[in-house]
Structure formats: C-alpha cells, structure tokens
Amino acid sequence: MNPLRPALLAFCLAASPALAAPPVEAETCLSCHSVDGVAHIDHIPIIHGQSQTYLHNALHAYKSGQRSGGTADVMQAVAQQLSDPEIDRLAGFFGTEASVVSAAPFAPLVTAAAEGADTRVVYLTSQDGGARVVESRFNGDYFRVSPYVESEKFLTFCSIASMAAVLNSFEDGLTRPIDPMRYPYPYFTQENLFTEANQQVKSFEGVVTDGLTLDQIGQFLTHLDVQPTTIFADESDLDQMRSALTNALSDPATRVIVNYNRGIVGQDGSGHVSPIGAYHAPSDSVLVLDVAGYKYPPAWIPMALLYEAMLDTDSASGRSRGLALVRTY
C-alpha cells in the first residue's frame, strides 16, 4: 500500500467522525462501485446501503460461480480472490452508513495527497509548469491532445482513456466511429474502443479488472487503424528513450503514450498510463497529461525519473513498462 494512504484515511476520519476506514480489500471494489458504494456508471449497481446479508450472499455466489449475468465475469474473478473473513468485512462496510464519505472536505485532501511527493515533479497548474509549456520546442502535442483528455471511467481504464484522447487528437487524419450517445458526431470513447477484434485481446470486463499491459495497448491500437510502436524501457537506455520521445513529439502525425509506475515519481498509485504532451529541454522534463485528473493535474516529470518509472516491471506481463508511439497511416 502506498504510504500516503494511511495518512489520507486518518485525515478523512478526523474530518468526518462518522467516516469509517474501508478495509484494505475494498480497494478493488472502489474501481467500479466508487468510494461510497454509489456507482456513477449505468451498468454498475449501487451497493451502498444494501443489506449486509444480501452482499455477503452475493459475494459467495460469485465466488462459487453460481451467480451469472451482467458483470459476473468481473465479479467472479474478484470474489474468487477473497477469503470468507474478507467477504464478511466488505459486506459489513458497504452494508452500513460507514461508507459515506461526502462529508470529507476536498481541498485539504488534495493538499494531503501532495505531501511527500517528489519535489522534482512540477505540476502544470504552477507558474513554472505553465512557463515550461511556452518555452518548450516540443509542445505541439499539448495543444493537439489536451483538449481530448478525459478522466478514466474506472481506476483501471488509464490505457483506454489515453488511447481515446490520442485517437481523437488526430481529428480529420483518422476516421472516428459514430458514438450513439453523441450522434451524429463521430468520436472515440472509452466504450467504443472495444471493437470485436479488441475484445479478443482483452474483454471490457477484463480491462475493468486489471487494465492493459504495454503490449496489449499496442495490440488494441493496431485494430484501430493506426500504426503503434511499443518501446520497452529495459531494451533502451535513457538517451535512446529521450531521443525516441523527442522525435515523436516533433512529428505532427505521431502521438506518445507512456506506461510507468507513478509511485516511483512520488505520486499515489502504481502502474499508470497517460499521453505525453511536451518535452522541456532546459529542465529535461516530460509533460504527462494525466488521465486521472481527479487525482493529479498534468505534471512535468524529469526524464531520468520517468525512465526509472518505466523500467518498473509490470507484474501482469513480466516485462518493463515504456512508450507507445502512435502514428496515422
């Protein structure tokens, strides 16, 4: 667990006497059901306030495979990893008023989250962060991509949100699909990236469970009419990665997505994916357009530190993280 989390939980408990700390195993649940058990996505059920007995029985039914339909594939995979005592704790937490967190003030939480972060990371919202965009000779993608960056719909959808932003940024250079919710306007969304071919790489439910690896990101993009090139950090040194990055940022027909461990750069979390918006040579830093905007604004991360975070081994693939260069035909 990230060392910041106990501090954040302690702050929340102090700010709201009625707030109970969620059990550690609830972290997976929060990805879809939200921190208060009230999901904000249509096909995800609200579990806050449900009968403790109902939640207990439902989790055991998923664990045994007796319950099917809806998001059962996801729930079965999650429940099978839970012990009986863990199921009891989850049912007790979400089945009571303890999961309500709306009373926790937001601004102090942001301040608390920033404490302990690597001071070499400079956020775009700071004076220095804004100045670097203006000074950068490699800032074209900031203006091309940032208008299309939307927060991930699930905590595991950083790769999906990143690809949607990058693909939309090609505008007339790439044919967008018609999204029923935005008809008649074509647009790449975090749902319609799951084409039939991409569902064969990994299903929607599978990505909800544990995201995509760098190699899988490349496979998804191949099926979306662009030319991806994946570069694993452990196969290139720092200078080679910097060169690949700046060359791509110099090409209006290419975009860059980074897969890195955000915990290594001093942020809360671990494996993460986001588009890159710019490179600032004087500070040797890279602007990461974070698709988890509810946690952090875009950040300038020193190239050497970002490279270290890309060298991290992704447990899902057994390989390092790295870059995905995305080019139109």
Side-chain angles (χ1 to χ4, degrees), residues 141 145 245 249 256-258 274-278 286-289 306 323:
D141 278 7
V145 179
L245 175 65
L249 290 173
V256 187
I257 294 173
V258 62
S274 283
I276 286 178
V286 177
L287 179 60
V288 176
L289 303 175
L306 186 61
L323 300 173

Side-chain angles (χ1 to χ4, degrees), residues 52 69 71 86 109 122 143 150 163 170 172-173 176 178-179 196 217 230 236-237 252 309 326:
Q52 193 167 328
T71 57
E86 287 172 335
L109 287 177
V122 174
F143 299 101
E150 298 179 1
M163 286 188 282
F170 286 118
D172 294 339
R176 298 173 177 174
I178 296 292
D179 173 44
E196 184 176 347
I217 291 171
T230 52
S236 302
D237 62 26
V326 189

Side-chain angles (χ1 to χ4, degrees), residues 291-308:
V291 295
Y294 52 87
K295 290 177 69 174
Y296 297 102
W300 289 98
I301 302 175
M303 184 66 211
L305 182 59
L306 186 61
Y307 177 66
E308 180 184 348

